[in-house]
Amino acid sequence: MIFSGVIVSNTEVKASELTDDELRQLVAESDTGGRRPSGLAAKVVTYVALAWSLFQMWIASPLPFSLGFFVLNDTQSRSIHLAFAMFLGYLLFPPLKSSPRTRIPVQDWILALAGAFCAAYLYLFYAELAMRPGQPTTLDLVVAVAGLTILLEGTRRIVGLPMAIMAAVFLGYVFLGPYMPDVIAHKGASFAKGMTHQWLSTEGVFGVALGVSSGFVFLFVLFGALLDTGGAGNYFIKSALSFLGHLRGGPAMASVVSSGLTGMISGSSIANVVTVGTFTIPLMKRVGYKSQTAAAVCTAASVDGQIMPPVMGAAAFLMVEYVGIPYTQIIKHAALPAILSYIALLYIVYLEACKSDIRGIPRSDYVAPWKKRMINMLLTISGTVILANVVYYGLGWIKDVAGGASLFIIAVLMLAGYLGLLKYQSGYPELQLDDPNSPVLKCPETGPTIKSGLHFLLPVVVLIWNLMIEELSPSLSAFWATMFLVFILVTQRPISAWFRGSGDVKAYFEQGFGDLKNGLVAGARNMIGVAIATSTAGIIVGTVTLTGIGLVLAEVVELLSAGNLLVMLFMVAFASLILGMGVPTTANYIIVSSLMAPVVVELGSQSGLIVPLIAVHMFVFYFGIMADVTPPVGLAAYAAAGIAKSPPLLTGFTAFWYSIRTGILPFMFIFNTQLLLIDVGSVWSLALVIFSATIASLVFVAASQSWFITRSKWYETAILLLIAFSFFRPNFWMDMIYPPYTKVASTDLMQIIEKAPADANLRVWIEGENMKGDVVKKGMLLPLGETGKAAERLMRFGLGLMPSGNEFSITAVKFRTKAEKAGYKQGQVITGIEIENNRPDPAWMFIPTLGALGLVALVQRRRARALAPSLQPA
């Protein structure tokens, strides 16, 4: 992707002149392949994509183990997964902008088959390769070279040239280490060792990243594709518009909310832009937003969908492997910053509406009095809470009483609930998207709109229930939710027609099966780029593990930052932005977490910045995602500009400015991990964290937009920034008055561990030698997990200790445990412990901060009264 208008997979378009067909083609070129072959070739593509989806559902299900048939291990399933992606990728993604789009040339058939064979080689010859590890034959090396070459060319076509160049550079670094400058030189690797590491083992291409793509991501992408095929995307847009469309800046707010809803299950920023923006951007323009503003709002909202749980552009599943904590914990840590980002964007569009006196869309003729609307809202909320409790405790009671029969009973209840919703919805008209360019447009009625698609929420509820309550694996949770969605997709049309007493039920069944087929094919096509990107990112990960380049980067950053912690974080943020340009979300996270996260951990710990590993990974992930909206590579901005008919570069910079409120969050939660809901011990603490973080986000937006009650003066903007900082980091000021920790000797380490509460994080200081033999001192967190004996808690973490005078030596670090992922190494010595001091709660700093905010509001309110009514907020 290179900025020149827009170039996507070698297809150039002028973003300001895109038609609807060109927009659909843009999404296809970026996400699902620009070719639309016909005849036999089209059937091959369709049925291979269908087979891929069915294969992924098979390996995610319990059936292989129940039937004892076609049981595959991780390496075999990864091999087949990549073979499907390589085959479809070469058939659907043309190599050049001049390549044919309606037929598949012979050379691409040959490359598709060759790539599929090379990828499937680990499955086809799994037993033989297992018998001779590290001793590749000539055929092994030929397949590895051919596979890597075909993969890099596929990456250029599908993911983009920057990713292919980056992977090629890292691959070359494996063999050219001795010829590199001293600061990054290494002894190099033999040809056989390099090829084995990158292609014939699970350290490179077929590593953890591709395993996550095969094991988790595919099912979630398929789930999102089936939901969209069934009409859920339309339902989300209309629902958001019915709730918010009448407010000041309502269409923009609806765009933000609907982008957030679709982004929860979408892995593509550009697809999110086109899906939501095609309808909402023209509406924003009609009510008064400038073209670049409308496009920028849609872009910022769509890109932020990648940080919204539960999918997070598939990064959530990768974090499980890289950080070593459960998936449910990842969702918990990611939730508040993502919600804050969307709340802040809603406030941005409100302020833009205030500046330009933009009103909402007219409501329908009848509008209920506000008292009745409030009563209805309270009844809805209370009814939802009561229903949630009935379901939660009712299902628990059924499982206790019915035992093995509970699954059948719950399935019958789900079916009854589904049929009941369809019967209830039959009294309301089916949702149809209005023409956003029509001369007259009214907000859809909230009640009928929400009620017309409630059944779409059932599979989402099943997914969340399995993940959060049943605590099933992500893949199994997605499998059961997808199976329920398959049933809905096939039956929703005929059952609704039967309840309405209209239409041919048989024809609707046929249409339902057609929707299912289209959804399965769409899910597979959406996964091509993800599978190729994760496998190519595996080359970079393999190079890091083989050469130790990660430690070299840490030394370079330390040298350039001169040991300054804040400068180091800005450098890592900038490097993550650069590394993330032109790279999709999943590969983006793999790259920045492999290269940049160790830098923050190593240098931060040496400077006394001791934070949980998840905070570090979230930091680099956020700035990698910011690359999606950063000119000149922000493709989502150019797609939005095409819809809005606005200048692409201006749209990109406007979207980047709006996204600053997302970029500030990583710096805040690095220093205040309560924003990630870490060490929040009570409901009161949780409420206080949410309140202060929300106020901080809104005040920061007001400062960045130079508008609070009215247009701000420069010194008011400075005060608002200071207020926002104080709400985000109240401990900054409290630390000046009362130091948070006291460092003591590690003599009583075992007693402290044994007395510590569950899930406590002990701060310890470690001393050991690095790879060059230099002694390094740094602080680290020691998560203690469940209560118990000290030795048991350490064993669960993966650490073995032995007393040595006033210190403790690390005698063992178990393989693939949290201790290893956290960076503990055998031979290190625990020299000290940091004990938390008794001091006032930092939240006391909110009192003077609120006073300062009130003073600014008072001054601006007085000044606003003297302004023209057109500049007054609603």
Side-chain angles (χ1 to χ4, degrees), residues 9-10 94-96 151-161 163-164 532:
S9 300
N10 304 305
L96 301 169
L151 176 61
L152 288 175
E153 165 57 15
T155 302
R156 183 192 68 81
R157 295 184 182 198
I158 301 165
V159 182
L161 186 60
M163 182 77 179
I532 296 296

Side-chain angles (χ1 to χ4, degrees), residues 570-581:
F570 272 108
M571 288 183 63
V572 170
F574 180 74
S576 298
L577 271 175
I578 299 301
L579 289 170
M581 286 187 175

Side-chain angles (χ1 to χ4, degrees), residues 362-684:
R363 278 187 161 183
S364 59
D365 295 333
Y366 171 74
V367 179
W370 71 269
K371 290 183 179 179
K372 185 175 181 180
R373 296 202 304 271
M374 288 296 296
I375 292 172
N376 289 338
M377 185 178 70
L378 291 174
L379 288 174
T380 301
I381 294 173
S382 59
T384 303
V385 172
I386 293 171
L387 180 61
N389 280 277
V390 169
V391 171
Y392 178 79
Y393 291 106
L395 291 182
W397 177 79
I398 290 173
K399 287 191 290 184
D400 291 339
V401 173
S406 60
L407 183 61
F408 175 76
I409 296 173
I410 292 172
V412 171
L413 291 174
M414 287 294 296
L415 177 60
Y418 169 58
L419 294 175
L421 285 176
L422 288 183
K423 173 64 176 175
Y424 180 63
Q425 293 164 203
S426 64
Y428 300 94
E430 294 186 61
L431 286 180
Q432 299 292 334
L433 275 178
D434 299 320
D435 180 5
N437 297 304
S438 60
V440 178
L441 182 69
K442 292 185 177 180
C443 258
E445 293 185 43
T446 304
T449 302
I450 299 300
K451 295 168 186 175
S452 63
L454 288 173
H455 67 288
F456 289 124
L457 302 180
L458 286 176
V460 178
V461 170
V462 170
L463 176 63
I464 295 174
W465 179 274
N466 286 334
L467 284 171
M468 309 298 287
I469 307 300
E470 300 294 337
E471 295 188 351
L472 301 180
S473 68
S475 59
L476 196 56
S477 300
F479 169 76
W480 288 119
T482 302
M483 290 304 297
F484 187 37
L485 184 54
V486 166
F487 174 74
I488 289 176
L489 212 62
V490 172
T491 61
Q492 63 172 347
R493 295 182 189 276
I495 294 175
S496 294
W498 185 72
F499 280 137
R500 287 189 168 94
S502 62
D504 185 354
V505 173
K506 181 181 177 182
Y508 279 124
F509 262 118
E510 293 175 355
Q511 188 177 357
F513 278 107
D515 288 342
L516 173 59
K517 178 184 174 182
N518 293 336
L520 292 172
V521 171
R525 293 184 65 151
N526 290 340
M527 269 302 298
I528 296 171
V530 177
I532 296 296
T534 52
S535 57
T536 306
I539 297 175
I540 298 171
V541 176
T543 300
V544 171
T545 58
L546 189 60
T547 64
I549 182 64
L551 295 176
V552 174
L553 285 175
E555 293 181 359
V556 171
V557 172
E558 183 179 22
L559 179 66
L560 295 176
S561 64
N564 185 286
L565 184 59
L566 200 57
V567 173
M568 180 269 292
L569 288 174
F570 272 108
M571 288 183 63
V572 170
F574 180 74
S576 298
L577 271 175
I578 299 301
L579 289 170
M581 286 187 175
V583 180
T585 302
T586 312
N588 178 324
Y589 170 66
I590 297 168
I591 294 168
V592 296
S593 64
S594 300
L595 296 176
M596 294 291 103
V599 175
V600 178
V601 171
E602 184 66 25
L603 300 184
S605 61
Q606 292 178 29
S607 303
L609 177 65
I610 309 175
V611 295
L613 190 58
I614 180 62
V616 176
H617 278 254
M618 290 285 288
F619 180 90
V620 297
F621 172 61
Y622 265 58
F623 280 104
I625 292 301
M626 286 286 289
D628 284 356
V629 76
T630 304
V633 188
L635 179 59
Y638 306 139
I643 302 171
K645 313 300 185 203
S646 63
L649 195 58
L650 178 59
T651 300
F653 279 112
T654 305
F656 176 77
W657 183 248
Y658 288 166
S659 297
I660 291 293
R661 95 271 176 217
T662 301
I664 197 68
L665 286 172
F667 284 98
M668 296 301 103
F669 61 59
I670 278 286
F671 293 101
N672 180 13
T673 55
Q674 284 193 327
L675 294 174
L676 299 177
L677 302 185
I678 296 173
D679 295 331
V680 178
S682 66
V683 175
W684 164 249

